[in-house]
Each structure stands twice: as structure tokens, then as C-alpha cells.
Amino acid sequence: MGFFTDTTVCIGCKACEVACKEWNQLPDDGLFFTGMSYDNTGDLGASTWRHVSFIERPAALSNQTTGLGDFSWLLMSDVCKHCQRPGCLEACPTGAIVRTEFDTVYVQPDICNGCGYCITGCPFGVIDRREDDGRAWKCTMCYDRQKDGMEPACAKACPTDSIQYGDLDELKDKARERVEELNARGLHEAYLYGVDEVNQPGTGGLNAFFLLTDEPEVYNLPPDPVVPTKKAGEAWSSAFLAGAVMAGVATVSVLTGARR
Amino acid sequence: MRGNGDGREIDPALGLLGGEGSLQRVQRAAGSEPLPPTVWDAHAEDTSGADPSYYDRPVIKEPVWIWSVPAYFYVGGAAGAAAALGAIAQIAGGESLRPLVQKCRVIAAGGSALGTGFLVLDLGRPERFLNMLRVFRPTSPLNVGSWILSATASLASVAALLRRSRGFLGDAGDAAGLGAGLTGVPMTGYTAVLVSTTANPLWQGARRSMPALFVSSAMSSAASLLEMTALNDTEAKIVNRFGMAGSLGEIVFSTVLQREISTVERVGRPLREGLAGRLWKLSQAATVASLGLSVLPGRSRAQRMLGAAAGSIGALAMRFAVWEAGKASARDPRATFHQQRAGLGAKEVTTTAAVSGADDRRATDA
Amino acid sequence: MAECHPVGFRWTMEAKKRGATIIHVDPRFTRTSAMADLHVPLRAGSDIAFLGGIVNYIMQNERYFKDYVTNYTNAAAIVGKDFEDTEDLDGFFSGWQPDEGQYDIESWQYEGTEVAPAAGQREMFTGEPKSERGTQVSAERVDRSLQDPRCVFQIVKRHFSRYTPEVVQETCGVEPELFGKVAQSLCDNSGRERTSAFVYAVGWTQHSVGVQYIRTAAIIQLLLGNMGRPGGGIMALRGHASIQGSTDIPTLYNLLPGYLPMPKANYDVSLARYIEYNESASGWWSNFPKYMVSLLKAYWGEAATADNDYCYDYLPHLTGDHSHMTTVADMADGKLQGYFIMGENPTVGSMHGALHRKGMRELDWLVVRDFAVTETADFWRDGPEFERGEVSPEDIKTEVFFFPCAAHTEKDGTFTNTQRLLQWHHAAIEPPGDCRSELHFMYHLGRRLRDMYGDSGDAKDRGLLDLTWEYPTHGSHCEPDAEAVLKEINGYRVDGGEPVSGYLDLEPDGSTACGCWIYSGSFADGVNQPARRKPGSEQSWVAPEWGWAWPSNRRILYNRASADPSGKPWSERKRYVWWDEEVGKWTGEDNPDFIPDRPPSYRPPEDANGVDTISGIDPFIMQADGKGWLYAPNGLLDGPLPAHYEPQESVIKNPLYKQQCNPARMEWDRKDNPYHKAWNDPRYPYVITTYRLTEHHTAGAMSRWLTWLSELQPELFCEVSPELAEEKGLVNGGWATISTARGEIETRVLVTRRLPAIRLRRRVVHQIGLPYHWGSKGHSRGDAVNELVSFVADPNVSIQESKALTGNIEPGRRSTGRRVVTSGKLAAGAGGRAARDIPGRGKSPEGAHGIKTAESQEGEQT
Ligand SMILES: Nc1nc2c(c(=O)[nH]1)N[C@H]1C(S)=C(S)[C@@H](COP(=O)(O)OP(=O)(O)OC[C@H]3O[C@@H](n4cnc5c(=O)[nH]c(N)nc54)[C@H](O)[C@@H]3O)O[C@H]1N2
Ligand SMILES: Nc1nc2c(c(=O)[nH]1)N[C@H]1C(S)=C(S)[C@@H](COP(=O)(O)OP(=O)(O)OC[C@H]3O[C@@H](n4cnc5c(=O)[nH]c(N)nc54)[C@H](O)[C@@H]3O)O[C@H]1N2
Ligand code: SF4
Ligand code: SF4
Ligand code: SF4
Ligand code: SF4
Ligand code: SF4
Ligand SMILES: [Mo]
């Protein structure tokens, strides 16, 4: 199962943010006025598993006319991507992070030891460490609701179906149709981010993918994310090569040094 | 919900959160953490234009480890190198080198024990370290490393305990010493793999040279520690050569590393400026100094001590420089963006880059 | 709409998915604009000029729906000779009475007859109302060719001819090109095949000419044939969950349930007179007596008999204006002893919080029912005047009673929404602690009062003692049964008591009782109709079995207009209700809003009376003439046609008329309610507009007490354009102080292009945006924006003007020394006087406009 988030119908109402906190009983993380448009949440974290971004952009959408001229307001609800190749999961030394029967990425709180390695492993800066006991927390895709056959709280609360939950293949078809529809209506910018392996080879595709209308950077998403382990090979070989050399050097030092 | 001054005279518990999530205390909520200053003057315009970012907010999370982790990189590396050198000396060197072997074993044991302590300090509770060993996960350098560390630590301490024993116990000690040597080799480099197998742009960008750098640095670290002990000429020669090679490697690979990450200006930045930059320069200077001292003719004790100190400082500073640089790099969203736009994201290891804009906008991406 | 009705907005998004064009007209670029195809920023308070421009566009380019206009609107009606237009009188209509400060509507009437409106001011406060007995609408003269210079069509055309694109630009700051786009796409999407809908809320209403804003939209929709048809109409997005219900069964002082007017003391002296003045001789309102008598029977049951006028005299009779702000002003003048505040937080939510607190300081007792001890409940120790030490709690004699209330999840009842749809909600849990429902409070209060007066022989107490006050209760709290109340509202036969099936069953002879005639049918067959929850997938697309809509579960009002004069649908695409020749009945997707068996061909005979006057082509049956009113000969206090007037406080002179403001507006010319200069006040050079955020609810007691909502919008902020920030040195995220003659507040600054500087043809106008949710209590706290807003209102519905005023902004935090006008010395430079009204023609002294009691003025002379 997964999420298709269509940012072109997001009205930035933050119902998803609140529904998530309410269902998962997450506390507020501070009353701070940020001055970043209407985004006073800032980012995803241990106590915020949904985050709505507000991008005031000095460029118009190609299918919108406003008296403000070159301006548009992009709204987008961000969440854990439940990657096909999850950096967090592959990094986790304890096996606390697992792939569930719903093909989602879930952190088992009772096994996590708070080593924090997953946090450096996530190419999207999603998972974060609880400030009190140091364990890692993130969106569970409402694992408990899924088990009861309910859709996740955020998707349920979304009034405009910007967050669509369901079977991945169906979502992908829907998403592709939607892009065509939008292109046909003159919104040429519309494209899918992370819909599948071809679209985002570095992560093998995202189970929570997005329909965007500007470069990923604008939404604070990496343009070409990669699961770090894809690059581990080079590091390991370099390490073993260097190790071998060290052994060699040691031998030489011993032999030469010991010669009378 | 905080407080119950809601005038409804109801059981405040009704208004309190329940469940696992609600137990967490968020420091920012407690008002302890001030707002990121960048936010206050963030203007809408920053969100787009030629070089967009989202109000300069980080795109990835900063590593959450404390100082004890880079410290562990140092002691762990030293321990590994010492174990390796000790093992080699045990095989290749005759009885005469036995004292050196013993010193190496002590350093290896002490280093890996201390290192484990450092890690536990970061985790909070000792039993948490054991969680690492409930599975074997080759994809996780931290998991692999934990096994290596545990192995080295236990073997090295056995070897150290039995270093003076004779007969069967002596043989057992020797076997452990060899084992520790074997696991000690990866001990010196896996920490670099651990650091560079992350989403951190600077660390990831340095993944080819960093292991070599760490290994070299481990050699000079171990050498420096040995230098501080009383050595006979033979031992001194051996240690000196081992250390010189290490320092030399350290100098070479730190330069290579800097070049490697500087292919993208934004990624290399942290090593040039700020705290990380200063530590980096310090480490290079110290290493050069220590190398200089060890090539200089004459082997006075003072000179050796000075060289050893410089070597240790260089190695330590290098670990902390890399550490700080990584944190700085994580704070800078454009480091990640530029690196990936430069084709150093997934594209390096996959045939194509990810779709990052509608087709008719892709042109502008390059 | 996305901001304040996010769940309703999903349907707008549905429409957009199906290809609808979304146009958003708003001074700001909001979350709604983000979803719109077309966003039009304009100067706050200038919409009549904008909409008037569209009317003019329709007229000049003959884009109106001719068949619809000639047959279904009053376009053809001839208006009396004496009528003079604002275009002739520079901003006044004929009939202005300077000394009364209001209009005499005589000259607005159709030639040869006088008609009662469907709603609104059915008669005036002053002077004897004209009885309408015997009026024959057929007596009204018409010109179906629409050529007669005195026919409504020509009058409307002339009236708006000056509202050109240039004038629109001059007044609203909207580029002619952008304006043209709007006008054109609106017309292109109207007619036989297509319909367009208008959606508005308080951005249009909260002005001293609020009602006329909506009137202008109504004129457009009638001209384009968008009324009574699917996909058309004008949607008033309501506020609080059941605010529609609270006008149907009103919390308004001048209405009885079902929009029956409250009796006036000075002339509604008997039921007969009252009925005579209010029933319409023609159209649906000719049923007036049935509804009134049934209501009285519902109130006083047994006791109500034909001989005692069904206890008509027990009803309170109005002596004048008792609207919100007038009452508070009277309070401040010490004219009230006690006050109930139930579900309101006026010191934050209502205009001029300081004046509200002053008023409450003068009370003997105050009852507040709310979830939390709100700023209002704590008025006696919480407010700027206490900070400044001008008032101290010891000096306040008011005794405050606070009653914690039950939330909607804790009680049964209905919500009536924007679509007139009643939806039942069941109590999910028992209210905690001492919390009780409104129903519980009112019922038991009444019960105890009746016990107290039990043995009183006093005639004056009969009204209370004769009330029908028996309701079954249940549970440990003795909660009255809400369904029993709904039964009473639905109405029943007095003998036997079985529920009536609808208002058609009601009788004027006391044989039926009905608590609210328009809700009659909501309990038909003894079934709780609003509780129906049949999924849309299991019924027709109109979904008549979801909840229940008044009247008679009709989902679209006046839906006979969805068929052409001959009774056929205007188009297959838009078929909704039509005449079935075989059966000889009206039928269709919805319950036809017409006399079921009246053929399209029917024309009333000369001597017709009552509903018989409704011809086969009179879809707007509530109107005396059955037509949609392009021109309103009656019912409005400020003119038969909308005209653009500037807000009470503006930055510019009225570009259209010499008369600056709505001459009939309500003003409170008091020391403690100072106004700025009418325009160009150098001390207050900027436009202030106020509004809501999705994250909070109104005065905040329902959101600022919740951390999950508070963290999303943690502090009061103002929105300013980069230009204004530049000009004033305001820093994003920093502090600003915003001031008017009334008060001063401090806010965070949000610099954003979403609130653009408005470019009129000659000058640039800067606007300051302020969400008004904050107060001194709860998790998220801030100054109350309404400290800035004055008392000034629309004359028809006395709604405040909180969407457009003037003020000043300076960087930095608020001073604590400055005095408020309601305590201590008058703030420096307050009470700016300028010609809002043409001298001599307008009322002098200024400020005596609108409906008000004579006394409330005297209070001021001292
Ligand atoms: N989240 C949330 N929802 C709510 C409420 C809430 O407080 N919070 N309140 C409920 C209530 S009580 C009500 S009444 C409704 C109100 O619903 P709305 O009327 O939608 O609420 P507002 O935001 O007050 O005003 C709407 C818009 O009017 C614009 N505006 C201001 N002046 C003018 C003008 O002169 N012309 C035009 N065209 N626009 C203007 C403002 O910029 C604002 O964007 O919302 C209801 N729903
Ligand atoms: N400047 C400016 N001022 C405005 C507006 C504006 O746009 N600009 N909008 C105006 C509008 S449209 C409105 S509607 C008003 C709203 O102004 P208010 O109605 O004064 O504000 P609310 O916070 O909605 O007050 C409702 C109160 O009822 C309480 N409550 C909720 N449910 C119940 C219940 O079941 N029983 C009881 N007894 N209490 C309950 C809530 O806790 C809350 O305190 O604000 C007006 N003021
Ligand atoms: S987004 Fe990050 S946290 Fe979520 S699954 Fe992918 S890697 Fe893990
Ligand atoms: S913090 Fe927990 S979840 Fe993350 S890697 Fe460590 S053990 Fe795994
Ligand atoms: S799926 Fe559940 S946990 Fe994840 S964001 Fe949505 S509500 Fe929160
Ligand atoms: S609930 Fe839906 S519409 Fe609202 S912010 Fe979240 S995603 Fe956007
Ligand atoms: S708050 Fe309630 S009434 Fe308002 S939009 Fe949301 S659901 Fe609808
Ligand atoms: Mo409202």
C-alpha cells in the first residue's frame, strides 16, 4: 500500500498534520512563528510525521492567472516516503526497522536502540530521534489502522483527496492519468516524483510518491536521491585495500626494522 | 494537551495525551531551543529562483551523535592498527619482538574497550549496544562494525591478558593476538565506511578516500602511542617506519579527499571554513610536523615524544574535522542539491538520474 | 472558501476536476486563490463597483439570458414616475429624509401597486406601514419589450452604465484586461447550456453596504439566468456550524421563527393589525396567518384561543433597534442590568472590544456559557485598560456567572448548513463535570422560573406561566429530549397531536401548532428526517434522502426556473424540474418549488387573490409578484439598487458619487467610538482588512486552547506587501504596532506578496491584512484585532464593517502608556469628522443614521 500525494489539489489546510498528531498522540513541538509563509511546522521530525510546506513562488503556474502577475503559492504535504530501498532500514544495525506486510517501512520502538544511524541514512531527512530517550520515530503509515483495514488518519482527513491512499499499482495508474490530464489542461510543469524505479532509480521508487509542479528543491526534496548503501561497495573496497596495504607496511616495517 | 485551565472543571487527564508517542518530551516545545536564526529573515524569494531551496531549511537531518563517537573513531582506529602490527610482529618477528607485541596487545585491548565505552556513552544504556548484535546485517556498516569491534575487543583483551603466559595459555593468547590482528585491520577502516555510507553529501562524496585516510591515520595513531612507550632501537625503527607510512598516507589521502569533495564547491565548503575547516588545517599541520620530526636525523626521546604528540593531535583533529564538516554539510541543503544536480547523486551508481522536473523543464535543470 | 470551508471546498475541487473555471476575487492571494484558475485582487470595500461593472458588461454586450429575464424577473415592470436614481442625485435615491436619516420608499414602488418583499425589512420602523390588503399584482404595469424608459430593465441599465472597466480600475484597482477576463468567462459559462454559481461569505457582508454587495450578485445571476437552476445560485457560506439554523429559528432580535417579523410596539397593536401589515395579498406570503397562528399555538398551546388573539399579546413587542452593537452601546450608557452571553466571545470577536468591556462593566450581572473561561468571561480583570491601570477589578460591580457548556459531540441536535440542510448529530459521550447543553440550560431555567412565579396572579406573568414547557427528559442530568423539540418545530395537529407532514397542512384557525413553518416536514410521519444517512451512491444525484432541507426537503429553491416558460427544461444538460403534460403536474429530480398542478399556461384572473395570483411563469413564489427582483421596490433601507459607496473609513474619495458613504448606514457617534476622516486621513493612511485562518476558529476559544492547532499559527501576525515593508522598515518575523483611533495592537510581521499593494489609476493603496483570532487566553495568545475596529454597520442587517477600515502601522512593539478611548482621556486626534454625507442633504449632525432608538442618542449629549 502507499500514498499518492497530488500537490495540485492541496489547499494547505493542515488537517493531515493535525489528524496525524491526534491519531498517533504526538505532542506539539513548540509554538514558534517562523515567518516562512504559513508554515510554522518547519520540517518532519520525531514529533511531526506530516508537514505541509507553503512555497510563495515568484513565478506563475502556466494554467493560472492572477492579478499579482508572476506569482503562485505551492502547497505540499510531506511525509515519510516508505522507500522501496529505504536508507533508514538498510542502515539500521538492530533490525528495528522492518518492511511490513503492507510493504511499508516501520520502526519497532521496542527494538530501536537509539543509535541514530538511520537518521544519517535517510536521503530525505525524514526519520528523527526523540529528544528524550533517543529512539528513532517517523510515520508508520498508520500501521495500527492498516491492520484494522482503515486508511491512514492523514489521508482520511484530507478534504480534497490530495493525499490518496491505496494499492500502489492503482495509485500509479491514477497518478499517470492525472499528469496527462493536467498537461492537457495546460499545466505543463506537472510531473511525478519517485513514482517508480525508472523514475527514481536511487531509491527504487517511493511508496509515498508525489505530483509536483516545480523542481524538487523548491519543495525541499532531493533531485536525485540515492540509498547510501548503493555506494557502500566503493567505500568497503577502499577500506580493505588500505587495510591490506597497512598489513603490508607492517610486515615490511617489522622485517626491515628487525634486520641486523 | 498542556495545562488544564479550561474552566470546565473536568479531569485534566481527559485532556492529556496518551500512548507511546505522547510520552516524548520535545525540547523545542519546552522553549529551550531558540529558533534557527535563518528562519527569521527567510524571505519568500529564497524559495525559488535559479538556486532554489525551501527557506534554506536543511534537506537532511544532522547526525545526532555526541563527541564520543568521533573520539571512538580515533581510539578504535589506533586499537585496530596496534592489533594488526602486533600480530604481524608476532609472526614475522622472533622472540626479540615479544615486548613490542605485548605493548601492541595492550593498546589494542585498551583502545577497543575504551571505544566500546564511548559508543555506549552515546547510546545511553549499555544493554542497547547488545541490540546491535541481535542480527547480522551486511548492508549496515554500523552492524558489521559492531561485530568487528566486539570481536576485536574480546580477542584483544584475551591476547592482552595472556600476553606473558607460557605453554597452552600462551598459545591461546597468541591465537587471540592473531585473531585480533585479523579483525583489527577492518577496525581501522570500517568507521570511514560507516560515515561515508550515509546521505550526508560531504561524507558520501568522500567515500573513496576517507577509508584510506582513516586507515593511514590509524597507523600513525597507533605508532604515536607506541612511540610514547620505552622502545629499544629495533622496536623504534619498526614503529617509526609504520608511523611514517601512516602520516605520509594521512597527508596524501587528506589532500585527495579534499580534492574529491571539492568537485562540487558547495560540498567542499565545510572543510575550508568554520570550525571544521580549522580542525582540518590543524590536523594536516600536525601530521606534517609529526612526519617531519620522524624523518629528521637523530632520535632523541624529546623529539620522539614531540612527534608522537603531533601525530596523535593530527589523527584526533582529523576525526573531529570530518565529524564537524559532516554536520555543517547536513545543515546546507544546497550541498545535497548541487551534488545531485552535478550527477553525483544516484546517477553515479545508476544508469539514469531521477526525474526532477517536467520534461519541458528538464532542459533548465542542467 | 478553502481557508474557512475546507470540507465544503472539496466540492469546488470536484467541479474543477470536471472542468469548471474557478474565479477568486479577494484582496489577498489565499489558499483559495492557490486553487483558482483566475485570481483577482481588489481594494477591500470596492466589490459593488466590480460587480456593477459586470452588470454593465452584460447590458452593453447584451449577454443577458433574454427569455429568462423577460419572463422570470421584474425587468418588464414599470416603476413609478417619482423614482429618481443615484445617477441623478449624486449618490442618493429619491425619498431620502435627512431628519429621519433614512429613506421613504414610496417613490421606489412599481407604478400602480405596492408589494411586500420576500424577506428583509418587510416594513419600516418609523411611521405607519401601508396595509397591502387587496393589492393586485396584475395591476402592476409591464412592458415585455423592455423598451419603456421607466421599466426596471432600462433603469438598471442606466444605473450601471457608468460602471465601466475604467471606473472599475479607478475604484477597485483591477486592470481592465483582467476584469474583462472575469466578465467574459462568467457570461460564457451562463445561459441555456451552462450555469455559474456565486459563493460568498463575510468578505462581502461585513461592510456598511454589505447587503447591497449580495444584491449586485443577485442582479447578475438573474440577468444570466443562473437562479433556480442546477449549478447556479448564490451560496452564502455560513459561519458557525449551525449559524443558518440560528437565523431560521432566529437568535435575531427582530425575527420570529421562519422569518416572521417581530411585532412592533407602536403599531402591531393586535394580531389582526400585525397580520394585516405583514401578509402579502399575493404570492406565497399570503399564507402568513397560517404560520403565525400555528406558531402562537406552539408557544401557548391550550391557552391560545381565537378570542385572546392566540396570546399574541404575550409576545414581546419591539420598541426599536436592539441589535448587537446598539445594545452594547446602551449597556455602556448604563441602560442594561443583565446580559446573557452563550457561545460567543465578544471582547475578542466583536467590534471594538474596549467598548464591549466598558458596556459589561456597567452591568449588574453577566451570564457566560462557554467551554472555557474566555476573555469575555474574564473581562473584569483582563484587557488593555487593566494593563494600563486605568481600570481596576475592585471598581467593577458586575457579577459574572460562568456555566461550562457541553460540546456538540456531547448532545443531540441538528446542524443547519449553507444549503438549508438539517443534519442530526447524536451525542457521542456524556458532557463532563458540570457541562450541560444549551437545551438543558434553557429548559431548566424556564422550569425554575415558572416554579418561582407559580402562584403569581399577575397578568404580566401569564406569558411565562402559560407557555407549553413540557419536554421529556432522560439521563442522570435530566437532559431534555431534543427530538421532542424537533417534533414541536415540525408542527402537529392540536387535537390528537400527530405530526403534520408539512406547512401545507398548517391552518390559520388554531387547529395546528408549528414552531417554525419552514422546518415543517422535518418530522413528517413521526420520523426524524434530518437523521437520514442514506449514502449518495444508493440514491439519485440530488440525494434527497440524506438529511432534510427546508422547505419541504427542497434542495434548490425556486427550481421552477430550471424549466422554460412552457415548462420544458432550458436544456437537457441542465434539466432539473419540468411540467409533465400527461399527469398535469410538475416533476423532476427535486421537489418542485411551485404549486404542483399549476400549468405553465396559467395566468391569474383580475380578481385573483393569495396564491392564485401566482402565474404559471412566476418561479419566485415568495415574491408578491412571483418574479426575481433586479430592482427591489421594497425591503431594503438603503436603496432599490446597489450603488458603490466607500467604507466609513477609506483612503480615497468615492470615485462615483459626491456622496461618500452609504447615507443610510448605522453610525454610533460617541466619544468612545471615534471615526477617522472619511478619506485621506493623514494619521491613518492604510487600508486594514481582517479575516480568518484555517488553523483557528473565530475568537479562538475553540482553537487557541488546543496545542495542535496553536502550534500551526502560534502568534498574531499582520500581512504586508514587500513594498509597504520597505516603506515602513518592517522586517519579516519582527514586530509591528498597528493603530486606529480606537486602539492599538502589536503583531508579528509576515512580509508576503500575497497581500499586494493595490494600483488605482492615480495612486497606489497599501493594505494591511489581519487575522482576528487572538486574545489574551489559551495556549497561543496575542492582542485582539477588534480593539481597532469601530461600531458602524449596514442598515439592513446591522452587520459591522470589519472588512475595510483605515489605520496606521509602525515597526516595533506596542506602547503600554497609550490610553484607550473607553477609559481615561480621549485618545489624541480621535473622532475625525469629514463629509461622509453631502452637507445639508445628508443627516446632520453626522452619525444619526440608520435605525436606532431616540434614547441611545440622548445618552450621548451628556
Ligand atoms: N478555519 C475557520 N473556518 C471558519 C471560521 C474560522 O474562524 N476559521 N469562521 C466561520 C465563520 S463564523 C464564518 S462567518 C465564515 C467566514 O468565512 P469567510 O468569509 O471566508 O472568512 P474571512 O476570512 O473572514 O473572509 C473571507 C475573505 O474575504 C476577504 N476580504 C476582505 N475584504 C474584502 C472585500 O472587501 N471584498 C472581497 N471580495 N473580499 C474581501 C479576506 O481577504 C478573506 O480572504 O468562516 C467560517 N469558517
Ligand atoms: N475583525 C473581525 N471581526 C469579526 C469577524 C471578522 O471577519 N473580522 N467575523 C465576525 C463573525 S462572522 C463572527 S461569526 C464572529 C464570531 O465571534 P464569536 O462568536 O464571539 O467567536 P467564537 O469564538 O466563535 O465564539 C463562540 C464561542 O462559543 C463557544 N462554544 C462552542 N460550542 C458551544 C456550545 O455548544 N455551547 C456554548 N454555550 N458555547 C459554545 C466557543 O468556545 C466560543 O468561545 O466574529 C465576528 N468578528
Ligand atoms: S523516507 Fe527516509 S525514513 Fe522514510 S523510508 Fe525512506 S529512508 Fe526511511
Ligand atoms: S536509531 Fe533505532 S531505528 Fe535507527 S538505526 Fe538505530 S536502531 Fe535502527
Ligand atoms: S500515515 Fe499515519 S502516521 Fe503517517 S503521516 Fe499519515 S497519519 Fe501520520
Ligand atoms: S489535508 Fe490534504 S489538503 Fe489539507 S493540507 Fe493536508 S494534504 Fe493538503
Ligand atoms: S471545521 Fe467543521 S464545519 Fe468547518 S470545514 Fe471543517 S468540518 Fe466543515
Ligand atoms: Mo460568522
Side-chain angles (χ1 to χ4, degrees), chain A residues 125-189:
Chain A
V126 170
I127 193 164
D128 200 359
R129 195 154 85 161
R130 277 175 58 152
E131 278 154 350
D132 52 353
D133 64 7
R135 286 177 303 160
W137 279 67
K138 73 169 192 70
C139 162
T140 68
M141 207 178 263
C142 284
Y143 184 61
D144 48 354
R145 289 173 66 93
Q146 286 177 309
K147 272 176 136 10
D148 293 348
M150 292 192 285
E151 79 179 303
C154 54
K156 182 81 182 167
C158 178
T160 60
D161 288 343
S162 173
I163 303 174
Q164 294 176 36
Y165 167 80
D167 170 73
L168 261 178
D169 297 327
E170 288 169 22
L171 288 179
K172 287 174 182 174
D173 297 343
K174 258 197 217 166
R176 296 196 176 95
E177 277 169 34
R178 177 66 178 161
V179 172
E180 275 161 28
E181 180 186 330
L182 287 171
N183 290 341
R185 289 196 191 165
L187 190 67
H188 312 297
E189 310 81 303

Side-chain angles (χ1 to χ4, degrees), chain C residues 490-491 493 499-505 520-525 548 552:
Chain C
N490 170 85
R493 300 220 179 302
V500 296
S501 60
Y503 52 76
L504 293 175
D505 296 0
S520 188
S522 57
F523 212 86
D525 323 321
W548 184 87
S552 309

Side-chain angles (χ1 to χ4, degrees), chain C residues 355 517 548 566 619 650:
Chain C
L355 188 48
W517 73 275
W548 184 87
S566 72
S650 173

Side-chain angles (χ1 to χ4, degrees), chain B:
Chain B
M1 233 110 317
R2 281 192 260 108
N4 67 321
D6 67 359
R8 302 179 75 194
E9 289 143 7
I10 62 175
D11 173 3
L14 291 172
L16 291 177
L17 299 186
E20 186 146 27
S22 65
L23 301 176
Q24 70 178 297
R25 294 178 307 283
V26 184
Q27 277 163 26
R28 196 146 67 93
S32 62
E33 181 195 294
L35 275 178
T38 56
V39 169
W40 287 92
D41 36 49
H43 264 285
E45 267 50 23
D46 303 342
T47 61
S48 111
D51 187 13
S53 89
Y54 186 69
Y55 303 97
D56 299 330
R57 301 284 294 175
V59 61
I60 56 166
K61 294 272 184 288
E62 256 184 71
V64 291
W65 301 314
I66 60 173
W67 63 270
S68 66
V69 171
Y72 158 72
F73 292 170
Y74 166 76
V75 290
L85 180 60
I88 301 278
Q90 184 186 320
I91 315 166
E95 260 315 296
S96 62
L97 286 184
R98 201 68 195 171
L100 176 62
V101 172
Q102 288 174 357
K103 288 199 181 84
C104 287
R105 288 186 183 180
V106 172
I107 293 177
S112 45
L114 184 61
T116 317
F118 277 145
L119 288 185
V120 169
L121 186 63
D122 175 64
L123 289 177
R125 278 187 267 111
E127 64 271 26
R128 282 187 166 182
F129 185 80
L130 300 177
N131 289 34
M132 304 265 196
L133 307 176
R134 61 182 283 282
V135 290
F136 178 69
R137 176 173 298 215
T139 62
S140 170
L142 181 50
N143 178 269
V144 175
S146 305
W147 286 108
I148 294 174
L149 171 60
S150 327
T152 315
S154 33
L155 288 168
S157 35
V158 172
L161 281 174
L162 304 179
R163 65 184 181 282
R164 292 211 175 70
S165 317
R166 298 249 164 265
F168 168 71
L169 282 179
D171 297 345
D174 288 355
L178 290 183
L182 218 53
T183 55
V185 174
M187 266 278 282
T188 58
Y190 94 85
T191 48
V193 178
L194 178 146
V195 165
S196 54
T197 309
T198 61
N200 189 295
L202 187 144
W203 290 349
Q204 194 185 92
R207 69 188 175 284
R208 294 188 194 80
S209 45
M210 203 195 294
L213 175 61
F214 272 38
V215 172
S216 323
S217 165
M219 290 163 69
S220 63
S221 315
S224 302
L225 292 174
L226 286 164
E227 293 271 12
M228 297 184 191
T229 61
L231 301 170
N232 64 36
D233 290 1
T234 321
E235 294 171 342
K237 271 213 211 80
I238 295 171
V239 171
N240 183 253
R241 283 170 198 177
F242 191 66
M244 264 175 16
S247 306
L248 196 63
E250 214 175 337
I251 292 162
V252 171
F253 288 114
S254 66
T255 328
V256 174
L257 184 147
Q258 189 147 10
R259 181 152 314 120
E260 190 182 14
I261 57 167
S262 296
T263 49
V264 179
E265 187 276 334
R266 201 82 187 198
V267 176
R269 209 178 264 185
L271 281 187
R272 286 195 301 278
E273 46 191 53
L275 176 56
R278 286 196 296 282
L279 284 167
W280 186 250
K281 288 193 190 59
L282 170 65
S283 106
Q284 286 178 320
T287 315
V288 171
S290 110
L291 181 64
L293 285 164
S294 45
V295 291
L296 278 178
R299 311 286 301 135
S300 81
R301 177 151 178 72
Q303 184 185 353
R304 272 177 45 210
M305 282 300 151
L306 217 59
S312 312
I313 292 172
L316 253 174
M318 189 272 286
R319 300 302 208 293
F320 276 90
V322 167
W323 167 247
E324 284 300 332
K327 290 206 287 187
S329 188
R331 282 193 294 268
D332 177 9
R334 291 188 175 84
T336 300
F337 296 157
H338 292 190
Q339 185 179 47
Q340 298 186 359
R341 285 293 180 190
L344 302 177
K347 195 158 185 300
E348 266 186 317
V349 286
T350 57
T351 46
T352 56
V355 176
S356 57
D359 299 341
D360 56 0
R361 288 173 70 99
R362 291 303 289 285
T364 63
D365 294 357

Side-chain angles (χ1 to χ4, degrees), chain A residues 12 26 29 56 64-65 185, chain C residues 17 31 708 711 752 754:
Chain A
L26 301 173
D29 36 29
E56 301 194 1
Q64 188 177 59
T65 313
R185 289 196 191 165
Chain C
K17 257 206 202 76
R31 290 177 247 227
W708 285 329
E711 70 176 330
T752 172
R754 291 182 298 99

Side-chain angles (χ1 to χ4, degrees), chain C residues 1-6 24-33 40 42-48 50 200-207 213 237-241 243 647 687-700 702-703 719 755 767 769-773 799 802-804:
Chain C
M1 183 176 184
E3 293 271 358
C4 295
H5 306 82
H24 186 224
V25 181
D26 195 305
R28 306 181 302 140
F29 190 102
T30 72
R31 290 177 247 227
T32 314
S33 324
V40 183
L42 44 42
R43 180 173 62 98
S46 67
D47 295 59
I48 291 183
F50 184 81
Y200 76 90
V202 299
W204 268 7
T205 57
Q206 289 168 1
H207 299 277
Y213 275 57
L237 292 181
R238 304 310 308 267
H240 292 93
I243 208 80
V687 175
I688 293 180
T689 186
T690 64
Y691 44 84
R692 291 158 172 74
L693 300 168
T694 311
E695 295 86 342
H696 282 292
H697 203 280
T698 46
M702 291 178 281
S703 56
E719 298 185 288
L755 194 77
Q767 312 199 86
L770 282 172
Y772 81 101
H773 302 294
I799 189 168
S802 44
K803 284 285 179 269

